[in-house]
Amino acid sequence: MKKTIAAALTLFTLASGVTFAQGVYSRPFDNRAPQAQGPRYNNDQLQDELKIDRIDALVGLTRRQEKQLRKIENNYDNLMARTRMTPDGLRQMQLRKRQDILAVLTSAQRDRLFAAQQPSRYNNRPTPYGRRG
């Protein structure tokens, strides 16, 4: 009888020890941070925002123009995500996107944008002592 009780206690101890050794993993196995809930910006959206803000700083956009530029950016982003293109097709799409953006601006704003994009004559001068001069 003692042997039976000892065997039952040993079996119970081993069985309960094995069940506690296998913990439940509530976290994912990788080391990624938990995903935040709600809308998030990815890098591409952040770059678009910076471009629109830069254009706004140069030419002074109205709210309506900003909305139109965001809409153009989103349309072209969706189009580029849906289709695979050759390098020539991508170049043509970027040209159409630039033309659409310029169509939103007034002529005075376009002139200011073009003037800001032109290099100044001081930037083109070579330095007398090389790169690090």
Side-chain angles (χ1 to χ4, degrees):
M1 184 78 177
K2 288 184 180 181
K3 289 184 181 180
T4 308
I5 293 174
L9 285 176
T10 305
L11 184 63
F12 176 74
T13 305
L14 290 175
S16 63
V18 168
T19 58
F20 288 123
Q22 298 292 327
V24 176
Y25 294 104
S26 60
R27 292 176 36 132
F29 293 109
D30 54 349
N31 292 331
R32 284 183 283 170
Q35 295 292 326
Q37 299 297 326
R40 292 181 19 188
Y41 284 143
N42 62 18
N43 195 28
D44 189 39
Q45 289 171 328
L46 182 63
Q47 292 298 325
D48 291 344
E49 292 292 325
L50 291 176
K51 283 184 209 172
I52 292 172
D53 289 344
R54 184 165 180 251
I55 292 173
D56 185 23
L58 290 173
V59 300
L61 298 173
T62 63
R63 286 214 187 268
R64 184 171 161 245
Q65 287 174 327
E66 283 185 39
K67 285 182 183 179
Q68 288 175 337
L69 290 180
R70 281 189 177 78
K71 188 175 180 181
I72 290 170
E73 290 282 351
N74 290 337
N75 287 340
Y76 278 99
D77 286 344
N78 290 336
L79 189 61
M80 290 178 74
R82 283 185 281 146
T83 59
R84 294 182 66 178
M85 296 195 168
T86 62
D88 191 40
L90 181 64
R91 197 174 309 112
Q92 289 176 357
M93 182 177 289
Q94 288 173 343
L95 182 63
R96 277 186 279 152
K97 179 179 174 181
R98 180 173 168 78
Q99 289 171 347
D100 289 346
I101 288 174
L102 290 177
V104 171
L105 302 177
T106 64
S107 61
Q109 289 173 331
R110 266 186 255 132
D111 292 340
R112 277 187 257 152
L113 182 64
F114 292 149
Q117 289 175 346
Q118 295 298 322
S120 68
R121 66 175 213 221
Y122 297 110
N123 290 342
N124 290 338
R125 229 184 321 167
T127 57
Y129 303 111
R131 273 180 28 187
R132 305 224 170 133

